[in-house]
Amino acid sequence: RRLKKKHELLESARRKGMPFAHWDGATVVSWLELWVGMPAWYVAACRANVKSGAIMSALSDTEIQREIGISNPLHRLKLRLAIQEMVSLTSPSAPTTSRTTLAYGDMNHEWIGNEWLPSLGLPQYRSYFMECLVDARMLDHLTKKDLRMHLKMVDSFHRTCLHYGIMCLKRLNYDRKDLERRREESQHEIKDVLVWTNDQ
């Protein structure tokens, strides 16, 4: 019942076109948990310290570390990018965009770790990507230092492989359904090399 209420809060905010700054604390906490996919201890810290979307969107990187206790720089990156995206998507002056699926968690860190990395032939990095909560929104913002230090991807060929995987997602506008549809269509016919996986 509690989970249903959280979904209803988010759907209500989306339906009303409410700017992120006007979201109340309960809606922000639901967003962190369901759409951003932050761990329970971060969500609990936000429940205690962040009472509205306006407060959340005004937090600096230092404040995110101090007030919410997020010490991992990639976890902070995840949150900052999610905030920027939701502020942009819910702004009254925001242009309509088709790239909304990332905002609703369609390509979260579980999908990246369990499905996307193995499809690139890089399943050995799954645990590092999962620990750092890397979702599709973050991929294009990862630096060489991030890859080497936090995600333990020191092999340059593996980084190149990752780079081309990201390019593919960008060309598909990060549309998971489109990616899955095109892969399905390529199963029994030699076509659409762009979406071939390591298994094909």
Side-chain angles (χ1 to χ4, degrees):
R1 186 184 295 173
R2 193 176 293 170
L3 188 63
K4 185 183 177 188
K5 189 171 189 306
K6 289 174 182 176
H7 279 292
E8 286 171 352
L9 279 172
L10 291 170
E11 283 307 317
S12 173
R14 177 159 63 168
R15 203 167 47 247
K16 292 174 184 172
M18 191 184 296
F20 185 72
H22 296 173
W23 289 15
D24 62 18
T27 307
V28 170
V29 166
S30 300
W31 166 76
L32 278 173
E33 187 178 340
L34 300 179
W35 288 357
V36 184
M38 293 302 271
W41 58 90
Y42 290 156
V43 174
C46 280
R47 187 179 287 112
N49 295 295
V50 178
K51 303 302 181 186
S52 70
I55 293 171
M56 176 64 91
S57 58
L59 290 175
S60 67
D61 197 61
T62 305
E63 288 169 331
I64 288 173
Q65 185 169 1
R66 190 178 63 236
E67 304 298 332
I68 308 176
I70 302 182
S71 56
N72 185 310
L74 291 187
H75 292 183
R76 293 199 301 274
L77 174 67
K78 178 187 182 82
L79 182 56
R80 282 202 321 274
L81 291 174
I83 292 168
Q84 287 168 16
E85 181 175 58
M86 198 49 70
V87 167
S88 176
L89 274 176
T90 60
S91 166
S93 58
T96 53
T97 172
S98 60
R99 192 186 140 178
T100 57
T101 54
L102 296 189
Y104 309 132
D106 278 9
M107 290 177 160
N108 61 21
H109 61 273
E110 291 182 357
W111 182 81
I112 292 293
N114 293 324
E115 296 186 39
W116 187 68
L117 284 175
S119 79
L120 299 180
L122 300 170
Q124 65 270 45
Y125 298 104
R126 176 186 174 277
S127 62
Y128 303 118
F129 274 71
M130 296 280 274
E131 284 167 19
C132 290
L133 306 176
V134 176
D135 55 30
R137 185 192 293 110
M138 297 166 65
L139 291 172
D140 205 31
H141 297 268
L142 296 173
T143 65
K144 186 176 177 180
K145 182 182 176 184
D146 291 332
L147 292 171
R148 291 175 67 98
M149 184 183 297
H150 299 292
L151 302 168
K152 313 303 180 192
M153 194 176 284
V154 295
D155 188 303
S156 62
F157 289 108
H158 290 177
R159 291 198 301 272
T160 300
C161 181
L162 184 81
H163 171 70
Y164 281 109
I166 295 168
M167 281 176 61
C168 170
L169 291 181
K170 286 168 77 173
R171 283 183 62 174
L172 296 176
N173 204 30
Y174 293 90
D175 188 327
R176 179 175 167 179
K177 286 188 174 65
D178 189 30
L179 175 64
E180 289 169 352
R181 178 185 59 77
R182 288 173 65 166
R183 279 184 175 164
E184 183 66 32
E185 290 172 356
S186 304
Q187 286 287 340
H188 309 293
E189 215 176 320
I190 300 177
K191 66 171 190 177
D192 212 1
V193 178
L194 178 72
V195 297
W196 283 12
T197 71
N198 194 52
D199 301 320
Q200 287 174 305

